Amino acid sequence: MLEIVRGNSLGALAQRCASVLAEPPDDPLASEWIATPTPSVARWLSLELARVLGASASGADDGISANTTFARAGDLRREVLDAGSRSAGLTDPWQPERMLWTLCELYRNETGTLDLPAMAEGSTLTARARRTMRMFVRYDTYRPAMICR
């Protein structure tokens, strides 16, 4: 089940998230996925959920939060799309590991040597490709419409 909760109060969002997670899932071994904007928000939310979920009494602060996967929205979207691609036997050309090698090939000219005018001084082929790959990953996470265009 997909549940989207938005708001401008982290406390209210944490309470809503805890109320959704309080209901036991059909498969007790299935991980719950939660999209967060940053790793620090994920850590805070994990601690807040642990205060509520499985607590012995209301306000006891002795609960536990387990089997929860926190990811940024772009990572969560990519994981869902990758699962569909894997089941169909396809590979995603936008996966960072695959994109890195594709970019390395693009930075080479026809003779197989580095295209030096396109390279920053002192930069290696892999470093340049890695910087470009990270830029695409950030745009894919925060501005997916630009990547689609």
Side-chain angles (χ1 to χ4, degrees), residues 10 19 23 52 69 77 91 113 121 131 134-135 144-145:
L10 283 178
S19 69
E23 295 181 29
V52 177
T69 302
R77 189 185 84 245
T91 58
T113 60
E121 184 148 345
R131 278 193 301 275
R134 286 183 184 142
M135 179 189 65

Side-chain angles (χ1 to χ4, degrees), residues 56-115:
S56 60
S58 180
D61 293 343
D62 63 351
I64 186 167
S65 175
N67 203 16
T68 305
T69 302
F70 293 95
R72 285 185 256 158
D75 297 334
L76 181 60
R77 189 185 84 245
R78 193 175 306 112
E79 184 66 29
V80 169
L81 293 176
D82 286 350
S85 298
R86 283 191 301 269
S87 67
L90 303 172
T91 58
D92 182 10
W94 290 95
Q95 286 179 327
E97 302 82 22
R98 184 169 177 179
M99 189 186 337
L100 177 66
W101 298 111
T102 303
L103 289 167
C104 282
E105 288 301 315
L106 289 174
Y107 284 133
R108 293 187 181 276
N109 64 16
E110 295 95 24
T111 63
T113 60
L114 295 179
D115 186 7

